[in-house]
Amino acid sequence: MSTVLVVPDMHFPFHHKDSIGFLELVAATFKPDKVVSVGDIIDGHANSRYDHDPDGMSPGDELDATIEAIDELEEIFPEMLVCSGNHDLRLHKAAYKAGIPIKAMRPLEEIYGFPEGWKMQDHFILDEVAYEHGDRFGAGAMSHVKAAKSNMRSTVIGHTHVTFGVEYIANRDKLIFAANAGCLVDTASYAMAYGRSYAGKPILGCLIIRNGLIVMPVPMLLDHKGNWEGSI
């Protein structure tokens, strides 16, 4: 059994400016054995099938900014398991739509400069807990519960920025949990403009999972200007 730090949706380069410092403090405090990103570590706004901000970064500039953010995160987490999210795959989806065969595409890990210690796949299982992005379960407030019931095991997801925390589910024989990791995005960025009209707002934070059963939500506390207060 181990202590796992769950890195939520970052959406590089549209992450909160204090988010990496926040994760560094969480790691120093809880000393995790493993670190798992539940996906959407990359935003890919410039390659989205949705409308792009005409005043935003070009695809090349956004890629450079994303690589720079990944390099910064690597300094804290040289080893990390990364679940692929729907935003992470935007670049490959755009290439596929343009008719580019898979043999002509570089792996995403190579394009974004993932370090050797980062491993990306669609899901991971650690201490009998499933970690995945969760977009296949929709974006509703109970998507993490749907995920746990579908997997028939404790499950941690991201994807739904407005949901953060844990629900425990039990029957006569078993206790499992369903958890959503929230996000660490810059809500003021143009890439997040789509959510400003929604009633629910993004919740910033991360999770600590201990021994495959104890879930500790760690919210990122902000001041009235939206800056991290510097503590946990």
Side-chain angles (χ1 to χ4, degrees):
M1 294 294 183
S2 58
T3 297
V4 178
L5 168 56
V6 182
V7 175
D9 296 31
M10 301 291 293
H11 287 263
F12 289 153
F14 305 105
H15 55 298
H16 191 285
K17 64 183 179 63
D18 301 322
S19 59
I20 294 178
F22 166 73
L23 289 171
E24 184 174 22
L25 180 58
V26 172
T29 302
F30 293 100
K31 297 179 173 43
D33 303 297
K34 295 185 178 172
V35 181
V36 179
S37 160
V38 286
D40 281 3
I41 195 167
I42 295 153
D43 186 84
H45 176 84
N47 297 111
S48 171
R49 62 188 175 90
Y50 300 107
D51 292 339
H52 308 161
D53 189 322
D55 297 312
M57 288 184 280
S58 70
D61 288 341
E62 186 178 312
L63 176 59
D64 289 341
T66 298
I67 292 171
E68 183 178 337
I70 286 172
D71 288 344
E72 189 177 352
L73 191 61
E74 177 196 359
E75 292 182 11
I76 306 169
F77 304 126
E79 295 185 359
M80 185 163 66
L81 303 176
V82 182
C83 302
S84 55
N86 54 304
H87 281 252
D88 301 317
L89 302 175
R90 275 179 166 178
L91 186 57
H92 270 188
K93 287 180 178 178
Y96 182 85
K97 187 176 180 180
I100 298 173
I102 190 67
K103 289 189 292 185
M105 298 182 203
R106 292 163 59 197
L108 289 174
E109 298 93 325
E110 183 179 331
I111 293 170
Y112 291 111
F114 280 17
E116 289 185 4
W118 287 18
K119 179 182 179 182
M120 178 182 254
Q121 59 188 49
D122 66 348
H123 76 283
F124 296 90
I125 295 177
L126 302 173
D127 300 333
E128 300 302 318
V129 177
Y131 296 84
E132 62 178 294
H133 184 56
D135 51 309
R136 67 192 180 105
F137 302 106
M142 300 301 288
S143 55
H144 56 309
V145 175
K146 291 180 184 177
K149 289 181 176 180
S150 175
N151 292 333
M152 294 199 300
R153 65 167 70 236
S154 293
T155 300
V156 182
I157 66 169
H159 188 62
T160 308
H161 298 179
V162 300
T163 304
F164 178 61
V166 59
E167 297 277 349
Y168 282 88
I169 306 164
N171 60 21
R172 291 188 180 94
D173 305 309
K174 192 173 184 180
L175 174 69
I176 65 172
F177 68 80
N180 193 301
C183 66
L184 283 172
V185 302
D186 175 7
T187 58
S189 68
Y190 64 83
M192 299 297 143
Y194 67 91
R196 287 174 197 156
S197 61
Y198 296 168
K201 300 304 178 187
I203 303 171
L204 276 59
C206 65
L207 299 175
I208 294 291
I209 314 293
R210 282 184 166 163
N211 299 327
L213 192 59
I214 299 171
V215 183
M216 300 175 59
V218 185
M220 182 175 171
L221 304 176
L222 306 179
D223 63 21
H224 69 284
K225 294 183 179 180
N227 299 314
W228 176 42
E229 292 183 353
S231 62
I232 56 174

